[in-house]
Amino acid sequence: MTTKPRREAAVKRPISITAVVDAVGALAAGNMHGHLYMYDTNKSGGSTGFGTEELQTKARRGDQILWNCLALECEAYVAIDDIIIDRDVCEPVRKVYPGTDVAYWTGTVKKDAGPITYQIKFKLGTRDEPITTTLSSSLVG
Amino acid sequence: MPQQLAIIVLVDVGNALASSTLEGNTYLFDNMKLHGSENQGTGELVTAINGSYWRDGSQASEQVLNWLPYSLGSIPPTVPRGYEVERARQTDEQALAELQELAAKSTVPSADAEAELNRIRRSVGTRVKTTRRTRGRMSGQKIVDVTGQVVTEDATAAASYPAPVITDIYGEAVESKIMYPAEYGSPDMVTDGWYWSATVDTSRPGTYSYMMRVQLHKLVQTNGELRWDPVNLTCASALKITSEPRRNAFTKAGIGPLPIPSTARPGRGA
């Protein structure tokens, strides 16, 4: 249990990236193409590509990024298995909401860099092998 | 009876509150993409509803729609219902245990004890004031950030917004008696027990618009007390009802003849 000390009064909201997954479509096709919609909460900061597989999130050094996912059918199981990104720029780790087994991924942008693309591995339904995105989203400095 | 359809209303609550509009901050989805729904994941979703008919042309069945409002960048809807209340209880218990420990080890007030008390005060978080309006749904909860940690009043900029609430569905499709929406209660864990649902008359093809009244909540501080103030906004969507027969999802053929390949039948010698 950590809490930010009082001197850090200007607490910044993390930039949340949400992947909306059409699990049925992705499982039927065996890939994520056309079955993934990416969004973030930094639209006013200049992020682009909303609702596509190529979200470009405007993020600078020091920004905390938080990834989570949402199934288009609320009965379907969708989870992020891994985020493949240059570890020198951001090192995402898997965490869970306290007291639950619902996971999210989070990392801090370590340095300003040009567009850094990343891929997400998704676990879908009862399929053993995760499915990796074909088109990449990116962090734009 | 056809499958019930879900329409996800995903709202960027922070941006919508900042710009006082849902336009450009709402993303809609349904699970009818393969049946002709257009503009998935945008604010311009057109939900395709394919009527089904008996062969004399009369309507075979109506369609049921359900709306699920979610908040982008908040704690996801997959955590248990009432998560904020649960977190409030957990952190209270933890603070009590820490206070007991502190009381046991120091009988004289000291700078150490004061620092320790301050730490506990921070870890216990800040409760939202319960008003007559917010009693029930958000009562007794603390401010929780987007990672599920409770926060004190100086750190509320990172607070997780409560999910949007649909408070009405109206407009052309309702006025022309194409759909009959209503709010229902259920033990559904995802939608906080309340959801909007509608039956759609599929016998009159056409495109019909409808409006949703959506309530968001803004965290405000008045006289040193925090509360969630409701903000009411609207957003539009549309239904497109066609009279095409339902199609077989495997063969894409209609429901008429079975899709038997047109090869020669044995014994006919062709």
Side-chain angles (χ1 to χ4, degrees):
Chain A
M1 168 87 225
T2 56
T3 312
K4 295 261 188 317
R6 216 172 212 291
R7 63 177 178 278
E8 284 181 32
V11 179
K12 264 182 86 178
R13 179 180 293 276
I15 298 171
S16 291
I17 299 177
T18 297
V20 180
V21 182
D22 181 350
V24 175
L27 283 170
N31 63 59
M32 299 302 293
H33 188 50
H35 309 292
L36 177 64
Y37 308 86
M38 301 282 292
Y39 300 91
D40 72 38
T41 53
N42 201 22
K43 194 176 187 180
S44 58
S47 296
T48 54
F50 285 75
T52 71
E53 295 158 71
E54 293 174 294
L55 174 72
Q56 295 189 301
T57 298
K58 198 88 174 169
R60 297 210 174 82
R61 188 165 73 92
D63 282 340
Q64 193 195 346
I65 313 280
L66 196 147
W67 285 269
N68 59 26
C69 60
L70 204 61
L72 211 146
E73 299 80 14
C74 52
E75 300 88 356
Y77 175 76
V78 172
I80 295 175
D81 190 50
D82 198 6
I83 296 170
I84 307 157
I85 188 168
D86 184 348
R87 282 343 204 210
D88 288 341
V89 175
C90 184
E91 212 163 338
V93 287
R94 183 184 183 276
K95 293 191 172 171
V96 294
Y97 290 97
T100 73
D101 55 2
V102 180
Y104 63 92
W105 287 73
T106 183
T108 303
V109 180
K110 292 184 203 166
K111 63 180 180 192
D112 284 322
I116 294 291
T117 58
Y118 63 89
Q119 288 174 296
I120 306 178
K121 283 185 174 184
F122 288 101
K123 294 273 273 181
L124 304 176
T126 53
R127 185 186 153 115
D128 289 336
E129 275 298 296
I131 302 182
T132 310
T133 49
T134 23
L135 297 176
S136 301
S137 288
S138 53
L139 299 182
V140 187
Chain B
M1 175 74 190
Q3 186 196 355
Q4 297 199 6
L5 303 180
I7 298 177
I8 291 176
V9 183
L10 181 64
V11 180
D12 183 344
V13 178
N15 230 15
L17 286 173
S19 53
S20 296
T21 179
L22 289 175
E23 204 173 314
N25 299 316
T26 308
Y27 311 104
L28 301 161
F29 301 85
D30 65 32
N31 45 12
M32 289 291 277
K33 190 175 168 185
L34 294 175
H35 287 255
S37 288
E38 290 160 28
N39 307 331
Q40 295 280 348
T42 74
E44 282 83 48
L45 176 72
V46 180
T47 298
I49 294 172
N50 295 339
S52 50
Y53 297 85
W54 301 116
R55 39 187 319 161
D56 66 357
S58 62
Q59 186 190 335
S61 162
E62 74 283 0
Q63 179 66 58
V64 175
L65 300 178
N66 297 298
W67 285 267
L68 302 172
Y70 293 150
S71 166
L72 179 68
S74 289
I75 295 176
T78 38
V79 299
R81 180 179 169 193
Y83 185 61
E84 286 85 356
V85 177
E86 180 63 14
R87 287 296 292 148
R89 194 187 54 75
Q90 284 170 1
T91 50
D92 278 350
E93 278 177 4
Q94 192 181 341
L96 252 182
E98 284 172 347
L99 273 174
Q100 271 172 352
E101 198 182 319
L102 182 67
K105 74 181 174 200
S106 69
T107 46
V108 219
S110 66
D112 269 6
E114 200 181 321
E116 185 69 357
L117 265 177
N118 269 331
R119 194 192 60 74
I120 295 172
R121 197 186 63 81
R122 279 196 303 271
S123 68
V124 82
T126 302
R127 233 174 246 282
V128 186
K129 184 177 187 266
T130 301
T131 64
R132 193 160 49 87
R133 265 188 310 196
T134 59
R135 192 187 301 147
R137 185 163 181 266
M138 285 185 281
S139 76
Q141 75 182 39
K142 291 182 183 178
I143 314 285
V144 175
D145 73 10
V146 290
T147 62
Q149 306 292 348
V150 296
V151 292
T152 43
E153 55 230 78
D154 55 357
T156 52
S160 175
Y161 293 107
V165 184
I166 295 178
T167 56
D168 196 12
I169 291 177
Y170 62 100
E172 187 192 6
V174 182
E175 282 150 24
S176 43
K177 302 194 190 304
I178 288 297
M179 71 167 171
Y180 298 84
E183 191 177 30
Y184 295 86
S186 86
D188 185 343
M189 305 298 260
V190 174
T191 58
D192 213 23
W194 292 99
Y195 67 99
W196 277 82
S197 186
T199 46
V200 179
D201 176 354
T202 61
S203 68
R204 284 186 287 156
T207 302
Y208 302 89
S209 66
Y210 68 93
M211 298 292 291
M212 285 172 276
R213 223 186 288 280
V214 178
Q215 190 171 72
L216 309 179
H217 290 86
K218 190 179 219 164
L219 194 60
V220 292
Q221 192 165 19
T222 346
N223 304 327
E225 281 169 332
L226 286 165
R227 44 163 226 259
W228 288 109
D229 252 12
V231 176
N232 295 299
L233 300 169
T234 56
C235 87
S237 193
L239 305 176
K240 186 176 168 190
I241 298 161
T242 57
S243 56
E244 279 174 47
R246 312 185 123 242
R247 287 176 182 277
N248 184 320
F250 295 102
T251 62
K252 307 280 192 271
I255 52 169
L258 283 171
I260 297 172
S262 56
T263 50
R265 286 157 71 185
R268 287 275 174 98

